[in-house]
Amino acid sequence: MPGTPPTRFVYLGPEGTFAEQALRTVPAAERGDRTPARSVGEALDAVRAGEADAALVPLENSIGGAVGVTLDELVEGDPLVITREVVLPVEFVLAARAGTTLSDVRSVAAHPQASTQCRGWLREHLPDATVVDVLSNGAAAAGAASGEYDAAICAPIGATRHRLAVLADKIADHPDAVTRFALVSRPGPPPPPTGDDLTSLAVCLAHDRVGALLAVLMELAVRGVNMTRIESRPTGEALGRYVFFLDCAGHVADVRLGEALQGLRRVCADVRFLGSYPRHRWSTAPGDQQAPVPPGLTDADYADAAAWVARLRSGELS
């Protein structure tokens, strides 16, 4: 029912990964049921089928960029909407069974992305160890726990779940790396505006129209809507056909963003609304807040301008 808090959550598995760690920062998910899925598609399809209320899937990484499979799955199939974003620091640890020392490590299990992000640390501290590719950070931790490998590069939650000792923490070469996750649900009223929100869209351009992308950008720019991210993905229809994924500062309830959406609807071949939701906040410092609305573009300014036009149409020139 609308307004009912979600209780059944699914996430990109397996257990003991950053996705599970991110999901457990959501209070409702910490209290509810959490089920791992084998793929992003499986997680989102569980929500579409009503088998889960919400799914947590990765959107982008500050090192590796956008997660293409998630973008593809969001633009295909029955519509889904993002209701929350979770930004999680990617803090890899080297974990092993109790009693293992760094000098004992001859084999390290790691997901390829994890070993790539820890390449410098491995070269400096374990130059002779063999790094073995596994399917996930959770699988790496499980392999170390079973004794198949001497150690694992994994998320802190993976070490905890498999009762591994942490031999070294924060071993990533980029200590400020983060992954952005999206909590996705079936369509419904978006969370109320907070004054610091994002709106996500998937936009298909009219391929035979000159300046089609510029027209999209102008609909946002003339209304002072800040675009915080743009990604393109091939549609699969033909070479040169793309869908553009946009993140814009603001909420669908904001007048200026609503007008921008109306403009996009007019000039684009298709627009899929992917949700309005609170922006992740690292702190309450003034510099971390959304930029103020430029003069002339507040909701009050729009209301005043609309009232003025209405008076003109009725014959009043004051």
Side-chain angles (χ1 to χ4, degrees):
M1 294 179 62
T4 302
T7 59
R8 301 171 301 158
F9 296 85
V10 63
Y11 62 93
L12 178 62
E15 296 179 340
T17 61
F18 286 110
E20 183 187 7
Q21 189 169 327
L23 180 59
R24 298 192 72 156
T25 68
V26 178
E30 182 67 11
R31 297 188 299 267
D33 296 325
R34 301 177 300 275
T35 304
R38 291 171 295 182
S39 66
V40 170
E42 182 179 285
L44 297 182
D45 284 344
V47 177
R48 291 186 173 108
E51 298 167 358
D53 300 319
L56 189 94
V57 291
L59 269 184
E60 60 177 321
N61 178 268
S62 60
I63 303 299
V67 180
V69 64
T70 299
L71 300 181
D72 293 342
E73 291 287 347
L74 285 174
V75 81
E76 297 291 339
D78 293 339
L80 295 170
V81 291
I82 300 170
T83 60
R84 182 182 184 132
E85 69 169 358
V86 177
V87 180
L88 188 75
V90 180
E91 297 181 346
F92 289 109
V93 302
L94 184 76
R97 287 170 294 168
T100 303
T101 65
L102 203 58
S103 61
D104 297 327
V105 176
R106 294 291 179 267
S107 61
V108 179
H111 185 276
Q113 289 186 0
S115 58
T116 296
Q117 293 189 44
C118 301
R119 183 186 295 118
W121 189 94
L122 288 169
R123 184 167 53 243
E124 180 178 353
H125 295 90
L126 292 173
D128 298 322
T130 300
V131 178
V132 182
D133 289 347
V134 294
L135 293 176
S136 69
N137 298 313
S146 69
E148 186 176 358
Y149 310 104
D150 295 329
I153 295 175
C154 61
I157 192 175
T160 301
R161 181 176 297 278
H162 293 280
R163 300 180 180 179
L164 298 174
V166 174
L167 303 184
D169 64 355
K170 298 182 180 180
I171 65 173
D173 298 335
H174 298 276
D176 297 326
V178 297
T179 295
R180 179 184 177 217
F181 295 87
L183 190 66
V184 180
S185 302
R186 291 182 294 279
T194 67
D196 193 10
D197 304 287
L198 290 175
T199 293
S200 293
L201 309 166
V203 173
C204 291
L205 306 182
H207 68 276
D208 56 350
R209 177 176 174 178
V210 175
L213 180 57
L214 177 60
V216 169
L217 301 180
M218 286 299 296
E219 292 294 338
L220 303 174
V222 298
R223 296 175 178 88
V225 175
N226 183 34
M227 185 176 63
T228 62
R229 184 179 69 96
I230 182 169
E231 300 277 352
S232 63
R233 295 285 297 168
T235 63
E237 297 173 356
L239 193 65
R241 304 284 180 85
Y242 292 90
V243 56
F244 291 84
F245 293 87
L246 313 180
D247 285 344
C248 304
H251 193 282
V252 67
D254 299 339
V255 176
R256 63 188 177 127
L257 186 57
E259 286 207 358
L261 291 176
Q262 292 179 46
L264 293 178
R265 175 77 172 181
R266 292 193 304 269
V267 304
C268 296
D270 188 39
V271 180
R272 176 171 281 203
F273 176 72
L274 297 179
S276 288
Y277 48 91
R279 189 173 69 137
H280 178 87
R281 295 288 299 277
W282 288 107
S283 71
T284 57
D288 190 45
Q289 297 175 5
Q290 185 167 297
V293 178
L297 295 174
T298 67
D299 282 2
D301 293 328
Y302 273 99
D304 178 70
W308 176 68
V309 171
R311 290 196 301 271
L312 296 181
R313 288 170 174 167
S314 68
E316 300 178 34
L317 300 183
S318 57

